[in-house]
Structures are given as structure tokens and as C-alpha cells.
Amino acid sequence: MGTWFSAARPLWLGGALALLCLATYGRGLTLPPISDDYLQIQLGRRYGPLEQWPALAADALYRCRATSIVLTHWTERWLGLAPFWLNLSSLLVHFVNCCLVAALGIWRPVGFVWSIPAALIFCVLERPHEAVLWYSALPELLVFTFTLAALLTWVQYAQTGRERWYFATGFAFALALLSKESAVVFVPLAFLIAGWRRELWWRLVPAVAVSLFYFLSIHGARDNHLHFNDGTFSLSAPFWATELRTIGRLLAFWGSLALLILAAGKRDWRILAGCLAWMSITLLPYSFLTYQSAAPSRHTYLAAVGLAFLLAAAWLTLQERFPHRRPWLAALATLCVLHQTTYVWAYKHHQFVERAKPTEQLLALAKTHQGPIQVRCLPFPRHLAELALSVTNSSGVWIAAEEEHAAIELNFCSASSTTRQTAGTEYSNTASIPGPHPSPPPR
């Protein structure tokens, strides 16, 4: 019986992780696409096929999101464009990522006693919700997947010395760099894992060189790179202030409570230092933005691992100090889970539905109308509305110019502020869209 239970333990853990993922984000499977999602779909069509990969490699911006573009292409090819399948693919990647957090227990200083509670907590954290609920944030999920895969194989190499794990680390790191620019955080995290073992430092020299080349290739294309020209970030931005505000928002109530518990419990200071170091390192690439004072929630997805381990450490501390108060501790854990899941189901779900309404109204009107549509106070860039029409094959419909007469008008000028705000666009310039831009059909 003991052998059977030991063999079945991964299945029980996987089931628990899947259940918590569904409990937090299951309602998101019903969400309609937001305007930016149609750009993600168009990128999958343009760059996803194998014969288009050379063109993708030549694009300084989108080659750094190649994995998400290819995944979108194959998702549409196998399952179609139904929002359920797009949302399910994001949720499945989130589940895989939760499993990878649990797998961090292979690192001996961490252990599964700490990593499994952290993984269960990571499933339900609401702060990085945008990465899971917003399909266009798929690059955040995938850069997490391959960065953690690279760290796990690096841990295996550091602990066993087997070369196959070293080459697996290089392969996973390459996929991480093809997912998003923030993958370079692998290098400082790998140095932290290596500790004072200088023989391992030398083995990280290729990763340092590749990261430097990666940055220089992006910077060398800055004249044609969207993010160097649209004002979204600047190397002269007050990044420390942005980073501290983002960490403060990430910690919020439960993270601050965990800090107090660890301080009162006199837990090993290295636990606290490690969690805060993880958050600081993984947030640094996102702290040079200029369009808001703290990083958006999708950018905290990788950093949330540090929060999950912080909460897990606080939970283990309470268990050690109050071994006879298990019912109270279970009630506290239940309250935390209910707070996280209810916030996503009740508040954030409604917010995303409101953000998708303008696009849904436009597409619904396009199904019953042919010709120009006059749109007033469009709450997102016009080219995204044109892309939505193009992607959904509304070929007989176009958005009229200001001076053009149209029998049908769609007016968003009185829309609520929630509807008029987008979730935060990754791509805001029409010039960044590859291929021909949508245009009105001949009249």
C-alpha cells in the first residue's frame, strides 16, 4: 500500500493543481477575445507556418515572441478560433507552469516540503491574473515555462554534473529567449543557484554571451523596433521606484502578513532574502516602462513565484509554531484561497467582459450589415478594430473615415471607463503589424 501511494502521489498532486487552477481561472474559459487578441491571431497566421519562419527571424520584435506565435498558429489550425480553445490553451500552460513550480523541489536547499505548498499557492494567486485571462499575454506564460525549465535542468546539472542536463539547459534557455525578452533573467537566477561554486560560473559564460548578443541585436534594430519608438519604455526611466511599487502591489495583504509571520517566527533570513531576490530580479526587465508607475499584472507572473514561496514559508512556520491549531490554520488557508478565487471570478472576470464588449458589438454588427460603419469614440486603436474585422472574415464591412457617410453608427462616447480602458496593449502601433494592413474594400 505504501509503495502504491508513493507512486500515485504525483497523480494526486497533479489533480490538486488542476483543481485549483480551474477553481481560480475556470470561469475565464468563457471570456470573449479582447481587441489585441485578434492581432495575436493575425501574427499566428502570418508568421506561424514553417515557411514563414525566416521572415519571423528577421523581425526584431516578433522573433522574441516566436513560441507564442507558433502556438497560436497550431491552436487555430487544430481547434479553430473559438474563444474557448484559445482560453483553454492559456489555462493549460498555466497548469504546466504550476507543475514546474512544484518541481523546483528537486533543488536540495528548497525541497518538496516547501515547493509543493508554493505550487498550490501559485495556482490561486490573483495578482498575475492578466497573464492567464488575457490571451495576448501568452508570451508571459511561455517565457515562464521555458525559463523555469532551464532553471530546473541547470539545477540537475549543478547537482549531478551530467552533461546532458547542461545541454538541456541551453535548449530550454534558447526557447525562453524566443518567448520574450525577459528570459535573460535566467542568467542571474542561475548564478544564485550556482552559489560560490566557481566551476559552475564558467559554465554560464555561454549564457551570458548569448544574452549580450540577444540584447545588442534588439538594440541594433531600435530604429524599426516598436518598443523603442512607441514610448512604452525607456532606459532612463525611474526603474527602482517602479520596481518597489510593483513589489509592494505584488505582496499586498497576504504577502505583507507572510513577512510579519516570518519575522516573528525568526525564520532563516535566507528564505526571506531568496524570495525577495527572486521578485526583484524577475521584475527588473519590466521596471523601465513609462506608461504607468507599476508593472501591469501580466508582468508579475514570473515574480509571483517568489510570493508563492514566501507564503509557503509563512504557512510552514505557522504549522511548526502551532501544531495543535490545525483547524485554525486550515481556516486561514481556506480564507486566503477564497479571497484569491472570488476576486478573479467576481471582479476581474466582469472587467474583462466589459473590455471585450466594444469588439463584440462591432463584430455582431458586421454580421448583419454590409458597407461602412461609422464608429465614434472607439476605446482602442482603430487598426485593432480593422484587424478584428479582417480576422473574422468580415470582408464586406469596414470602418468609415470621419468624413465618410455611413448608414450605421456605433457610438462608444458614453461608455463606462471600464469599457473604454483596454487591458494594456502589448502592441500599439499599426506600423508594427506585419503584412498588409486591412483596408476598405473597393466601393
Side-chain angles (χ1 to χ4, degrees), residues 68 129 143 293 312 320 329:
S68 62
H129 65 271
V143 73
S293 59
E320 292 172 3
L329 296 179

Side-chain angles (χ1 to χ4, degrees), residues 2 157 188 214 243 315 374 418 428:
Y157 173 71
Y214 183 77
E243 173 132 337
W315 171 254
Q374 188 65 254
T418 302
S428 58

Side-chain angles (χ1 to χ4, degrees), residues 113-392:
V113 172
W114 191 12
S115 72
I116 289 177
L120 295 170
I121 292 168
F122 185 76
C123 289
V124 302
L125 287 179
E126 60 80 17
R127 180 56 193 163
H129 65 271
E130 203 174 65
V132 185
L133 293 177
W134 185 31
Y135 185 70
S136 290
L138 188 59
E140 299 295 341
L141 296 176
L142 293 176
V143 73
F144 183 108
T145 303
F146 296 118
T147 300
L148 251 67
L151 288 172
L152 287 167
T153 52
W154 173 248
V155 166
Q156 286 288 74
Y157 173 71
Q159 294 182 161
T160 67
R162 295 176 180 173
E163 290 295 320
R164 68 169 182 263
W165 291 115
Y166 182 71
F167 291 111
T169 299
F171 180 69
F173 182 45
L175 290 175
L177 293 174
L178 292 172
S179 299
K180 200 166 186 184
E181 297 89 344
S182 54
V184 295
V185 301
F186 163 79
V187 173
L189 292 175
F191 272 108
L192 285 180
I193 291 171
W196 298 106
R197 296 173 59 184
R198 295 193 177 185
E199 70 275 13
L200 292 179
W201 292 5
W202 289 108
R203 301 309 300 267
L204 286 171
V205 169
V208 174
V210 167
S211 298
L212 182 60
F213 175 78
Y214 183 77
F215 170 77
L216 292 176
S217 67
I218 296 171
H219 191 266
R222 61 189 178 277
D223 291 340
N224 299 315
H225 195 290
L226 170 64
H227 291 168
F228 279 97
N229 297 286
D230 66 352
T232 58
F233 85 100
S234 171
L235 294 177
S236 61
F239 65 94
W240 283 116
T242 302
E243 173 132 337
L244 289 174
R245 278 190 289 266
T246 306
I247 291 175
R249 289 187 180 184
L250 182 61
L251 291 172
F253 171 77
W254 293 105
S256 301
L257 179 61
L259 290 175
L260 291 175
I261 292 171
L262 292 174
K266 297 180 180 179
R267 195 81 178 185
D268 189 339
W269 66 269
R270 289 174 295 183
I271 292 175
L272 179 59
C275 293
L276 293 177
W278 179 285
M279 287 188 272
S280 300
I281 291 170
T282 54
L283 285 173
L284 190 58
Y286 300 112
S287 297
F288 292 88
L289 52 82
T290 57
Y291 58 90
Q292 58 188 62
S293 59
S297 71
R298 65 187 179 276
H299 292 164
T300 65
Y301 188 69
L302 184 55
V305 174
L307 175 60
F309 273 90
L310 188 70
L311 295 174
W315 171 254
L316 293 173
T317 299
L318 289 176
Q319 282 193 318
E320 292 172 3
R321 295 201 63 186
F322 305 102
H324 303 298
R325 300 287 186 179
R326 295 295 174 87
W328 291 100
L329 296 179
L332 180 63
T334 302
L335 179 62
C336 178
V337 171
L338 287 176
H339 171 258
Q340 303 293 308
T341 56
T342 302
Y343 184 77
V344 174
W345 276 65
Y347 179 70
K348 283 300 174 183
H349 182 87
H350 172 73
Q351 194 176 69
F352 274 78
V353 168
E354 289 297 308
R355 288 167 174 168
K357 271 187 178 179
T359 316
E360 291 294 289
Q361 291 174 6
L362 175 63
L363 295 178
L365 189 58
K367 292 179 180 179
T368 60
H369 174 73
Q370 292 290 305
I373 298 177
Q374 188 65 254
V375 181
R376 306 288 184 189
C377 302
L378 190 66
F380 50 84
R382 175 190 172 105
H383 72 269
L384 292 179
E386 294 172 336
L387 266 178
L389 292 171
S390 175
V391 166
T392 55

Side-chain angles (χ1 to χ4, degrees), residues 67-109:
T67 56
S68 62
I69 289 172
V70 172
L71 178 57
T72 298
H73 166 74
W74 284 106
T75 301
E76 180 183 3
R77 183 165 180 177
W78 288 339
L79 302 172
L81 277 182
F84 174 84
W85 298 117
L86 300 179
N87 296 330
L88 180 61
S89 67
S90 292
L91 186 56
L92 287 174
V93 177
H94 177 57
F95 166 71
V96 170
N97 290 343
C98 294
C99 295
L100 291 174
V101 174
L104 286 172
I106 65 171
W107 190 28
R108 296 188 188 108

